[in-house]
Amino acid sequence: MVWHDDLGALRAWASTARPVFICGQERSGTSALLLAMSRHPALFPVPDVFETFIFRFAADLLKDPPRKMQQGYLRGEEPLSALRSQLALLAGGDPARLADDDLVRAFFAFAAHEVYPGRRPLEKTPSHVHSLPRIFSVFPQARVLACVREPTEVVDSYRKRLAREQALGKPPESWKWLQLTDQQLIEQFRRVDRALRESVSFAPGRVFQVPYGWLTADPRAALSQICQFLGEPFDEAMLVPKAGRKDRVDERLGQPLSATGDSRASTLTEAQAAKIAWDTGRLTRRWRVPGPVQPEADPPQAAAAARA
């Protein structure tokens, strides 16, 4: 397919491509799931836990300095430069004229043909959960894996990660995204939950909810079910981390998926944990259920009224 100088060919490719996108609530296992999926022989062998933000910041492909994780996803400066050259061809000399959706299409078409040839696109950015309508508009055959987790565990994970980043002496701009209050995180949970429930209206059966506890309790069974959802055979390589991998962010990313949690004491008091659990009770019950996101059941009052 010659897509780089033909918008029609590029859009036709995107209409039949079957990318896999990992998103969801931050600190809910998106990185661990990406690393496992990247070891599947049918999917992009993404070399690290790059978050491209491509559906939110597509025009950053054209900026200097480049967005580091977009460049890393393409495996370096030279591939990014080659993509920019192809974008110029596609736009008749001025890539800034391209619509964001076409920049996204070109980003993944280039990766699929030049960086990870013969593999099915795979990408993870947690905040893409808020771009689900656009994902399915650009890639109608996409499949999404949405990671979620017990809210109290997420809050605790935020606190521990923040403390670790600060202890390492990292600058505030690298950890300010972690500096959220309990209430701010609760509002974040609600936005993620709403985005997932709304996906049923435009992408029924195409967004698979991946609870962290379910994934880590029995990784083989969970990954097998995920592969079935994606239409791919399960592969044992998904369970085996790459030899010698060391991660600067979380050492557990270099270990096999397991239910072994953080051995450090919780940062939350009993009162904090109880309040978070109370405020997130309904969405927590939904987040414990793995599989394609389902329509929310009618509240008891509405169901009773309907029967009457």
Side-chain angles (χ1 to χ4, degrees), residues 152-229:
T152 53
E153 293 180 10
V154 175
V155 176
D156 187 43
S157 181
Y158 263 78
R159 301 288 178 263
K160 289 175 178 175
R161 173 74 181 274
L162 176 61
R164 186 163 60 243
E165 297 286 296
Q166 292 175 329
L168 290 172
K170 293 187 178 182
E173 57 267 22
S174 71
W175 45 255
K176 62 183 179 181
W177 65 277
L178 292 159
Q179 208 167 31
L180 300 175
T181 66
D182 291 358
Q183 190 57 42
Q184 286 174 321
L185 284 168
I186 288 170
E187 291 303 317
Q188 185 183 104
F189 302 151
R190 290 171 177 163
R191 289 193 296 271
V192 170
D193 185 59
R194 184 163 55 249
L196 293 177
R197 288 186 284 119
E198 289 174 351
S199 73
V200 176
S201 66
F202 55 83
R206 288 178 283 170
V207 178
F208 188 106
Q209 188 165 271
V210 183
Y212 182 81
W214 172 76
L215 176 65
T216 56
D218 189 345
R220 182 185 301 276
L223 291 172
S224 295
Q225 192 169 333
I226 289 170
C227 285
Q228 184 177 13
F229 168 74

Side-chain angles (χ1 to χ4, degrees), residues 82 122 124 158 192 212 231 259-260 263 268 290 292 297 303 308:
L122 171 69
K124 87 102 177 177
Y158 263 78
V192 170
Y212 182 81
T260 303
S263 59
L268 304 180

Side-chain angles (χ1 to χ4, degrees), residues 102-126:
D102 286 324
L103 289 173
V104 172
R105 293 181 180 103
F107 178 77
F108 286 106
F110 179 84
H113 290 86
E114 306 296 335
V115 184
Y116 309 103
R119 301 291 189 100
R120 185 174 174 181
L122 171 69
E123 190 272 352
K124 87 102 177 177
T125 300

Side-chain angles (χ1 to χ4, degrees), residues 28-267:
S28 293
T30 57
S31 293
L33 182 59
L34 172 73
L35 293 174
M37 301 308 297
S38 71
R39 296 191 289 268
H40 193 290
L43 303 174
F44 280 8
V46 182
D48 212 329
V49 289
F50 299 121
E51 297 179 4
T52 70
F53 293 90
I54 192 67
F55 284 95
R56 297 181 60 197
F57 305 114
D60 285 4
L61 285 174
L62 308 176
K63 293 181 180 179
D64 286 310
R67 184 175 282 269
K68 289 183 178 179
M69 288 198 179
Q70 289 181 354
Q71 181 174 284
Y73 184 87
L74 296 178
R75 296 197 165 185
E77 295 180 13
E78 290 187 11
L80 177 60
S81 178
L83 170 58
R84 289 177 173 181
S85 295
Q86 295 193 4
L87 291 172
L89 284 174
L90 194 64
D94 182 8
R97 294 169 48 198
L98 291 172
D100 280 2
D101 285 356
D102 286 324
L103 289 173
V104 172
R105 293 181 180 103
F107 178 77
F108 286 106
F110 179 84
H113 290 86
E114 306 296 335
V115 184
Y116 309 103
R119 301 291 189 100
R120 185 174 174 181
L122 171 69
E123 190 272 352
K124 87 102 177 177
T125 300
S127 64
H128 282 167
V129 70
H130 303 297
S131 300
L132 293 178
R134 190 172 178 201
I135 285 176
F136 288 104
S137 174
V138 174
F139 293 107
Q141 305 303 317
R143 292 293 181 270
V144 169
L145 305 176
C147 293
V148 291
R149 189 177 184 180
E150 296 287 315
T152 53
E153 293 180 10
V154 175
V155 176
D156 187 43
S157 181
Y158 263 78
R159 301 288 178 263
K160 289 175 178 175
R161 173 74 181 274
L162 176 61
R164 186 163 60 243
E165 297 286 296
Q166 292 175 329
L168 290 172
K170 293 187 178 182
E173 57 267 22
S174 71
W175 45 255
K176 62 183 179 181
W177 65 277
L178 292 159
Q179 208 167 31
L180 300 175
T181 66
D182 291 358
Q183 190 57 42
Q184 286 174 321
L185 284 168
I186 288 170
E187 291 303 317
Q188 185 183 104
F189 302 151
R190 290 171 177 163
R191 289 193 296 271
V192 170
D193 185 59
R194 184 163 55 249
L196 293 177
R197 288 186 284 119
E198 289 174 351
S199 73
V200 176
S201 66
F202 55 83
R206 288 178 283 170
V207 178
F208 188 106
Q209 188 165 271
V210 183
Y212 182 81
W214 172 76
L215 176 65
T216 56
D218 189 345
R220 182 185 301 276
L223 291 172
S224 295
Q225 192 169 333
I226 289 170
C227 285
Q228 184 177 13
F229 168 74
L230 299 177
E232 301 289 354
F234 171 74
D235 194 287
E236 290 287 338
M238 302 171 72
L239 297 171
V240 185
K242 292 181 180 178
R245 177 187 169 87
K246 294 182 179 180
D247 199 281
R248 297 183 302 276
V249 174
D250 189 337
E251 63 277 4
R252 288 172 297 175
L253 293 178
Q255 301 170 5
L257 276 170
S258 75
T260 303
D262 192 327
S263 59
R264 294 172 295 175
S266 174
T267 62

